[in-house]
Amino acid sequence: MLIPFISQIVNFILEVIFLSEEIKIIRVKHLLRQELQSLLIVIEKGQINILLASISSASGTKQNDLLQQWKEKREDINKRMGNLQNSMQGRELREQKIIKQNMQLMQAEYRDYNFEFIKKYRNTIVGQFVYENMKNSLSPEQQKELEKLVN
């Protein structure tokens, strides 16, 4: 879906009246991708509020709200991990080891968050999307438990 615009922020409402649910991506033209973030949305019945900006978002329907919640958690973890990674430069080995341990704890937090999210929302298109995209980052035990629930 290509949307022509001039400003760096685009805010619009998409009214969906058909019943087919699927995940789509809204991409902006290549030249604007550094200023506007592409956006995953769930096409589902209802009114979807879409904001294309440096941090884009979609809301207004149950599954778009879920997808946004998951995206915000992922972006928070990525930002915190990046900050820790950057803080390692110029540090002594002992301090680097502590930072790496903190990064491992953060990865475990995100893995567990994904596991619980998938478990809770496994019967939704968003839960299935997160499962397909994150299952390899889960522990073997978590993968086995989800395979029993999903299949």
Side-chain angles (χ1 to χ4, degrees), residues 66 69-70 113-121 126 130:
L66 284 176
Q69 172 190 331
W70 177 77
Y113 172 82
N114 284 324
F115 173 70
E116 292 300 327
F117 186 95
I118 294 165
K119 207 162 76 164
K120 184 173 183 179
Y121 300 111
V126 173
V130 174

Side-chain angles (χ1 to χ4, degrees), residues 95-120:
E95 291 173 312
Q96 287 183 5
K97 187 175 180 180
I98 292 169
I99 292 170
K100 285 180 184 178
Q101 289 171 341
N102 286 333
M103 291 174 73
Q104 289 171 340
L105 289 172
M106 206 173 297
Q107 288 170 333
E109 172 192 333
Y110 186 53
R111 179 189 63 232
D112 292 344
Y113 172 82
N114 284 324
F115 173 70
E116 292 300 327
F117 186 95
I118 294 165
K119 207 162 76 164
K120 184 173 183 179

Side-chain angles (χ1 to χ4, degrees), residues 83-144:
N83 289 342
L84 284 175
Q85 184 72 36
N86 291 338
S87 73
M88 287 180 54
Q89 293 180 351
R91 300 285 179 112
E92 294 180 14
L93 245 45
R94 182 180 53 81
E95 291 173 312
Q96 287 183 5
K97 187 175 180 180
I98 292 169
I99 292 170
K100 285 180 184 178
Q101 289 171 341
N102 286 333
M103 291 174 73
Q104 289 171 340
L105 289 172
M106 206 173 297
Q107 288 170 333
E109 172 192 333
Y110 186 53
R111 179 189 63 232
D112 292 344
Y113 172 82
N114 284 324
F115 173 70
E116 292 300 327
F117 186 95
I118 294 165
K119 207 162 76 164
K120 184 173 183 179
Y121 300 111
R122 68 185 178 275
N123 294 324
T124 68
I125 196 166
V126 173
Q128 293 162 10
F129 171 82
V130 174
Y131 175 71
E132 287 301 318
N133 286 279
M134 303 308 295
K135 65 184 173 187
N136 292 332
S137 69
L138 302 174
S139 72
E141 295 80 18
Q142 290 171 330
Q143 288 180 21
K144 285 179 187 175

Side-chain angles (χ1 to χ4, degrees), residues 64-75:
N64 278 293
D65 291 344
L66 284 176
L67 187 57
Q68 187 64 32
Q69 172 190 331
W70 177 77
K71 175 189 166 194
E72 287 172 4
K73 179 67 171 184
R74 186 192 69 200
E75 288 180 348

Side-chain angles (χ1 to χ4, degrees), residues 21-99:
E21 292 181 349
E22 54 187 314
I23 293 183
K24 295 288 186 181
I25 188 165
I26 298 175
R27 291 193 195 278
V28 296
K29 290 186 177 186
H30 203 33
L31 293 173
L32 297 171
R33 288 190 186 156
Q34 288 189 2
E35 297 168 10
L36 296 174
Q37 183 183 48
S38 295
L39 178 65
L40 286 174
I41 63 167
V42 179
I43 301 296
E44 64 179 320
K45 189 172 184 174
Q47 183 174 304
I48 305 168
N49 304 305
I50 297 170
L51 173 66
L52 296 179
S54 60
I55 299 179
S56 296
S57 65
S59 63
T61 61
K62 182 181 177 186
Q63 293 198 78
N64 278 293
D65 291 344
L66 284 176
L67 187 57
Q68 187 64 32
Q69 172 190 331
W70 177 77
K71 175 189 166 194
E72 287 172 4
K73 179 67 171 184
R74 186 192 69 200
E75 288 180 348
D76 176 61
I77 290 287
N78 286 343
K79 182 179 178 181
R80 290 167 43 206
M81 291 284 282
N83 289 342
L84 284 175
Q85 184 72 36
N86 291 338
S87 73
M88 287 180 54
Q89 293 180 351
R91 300 285 179 112
E92 294 180 14
L93 245 45
R94 182 180 53 81
E95 291 173 312
Q96 287 183 5
K97 187 175 180 180
I98 292 169
I99 292 170

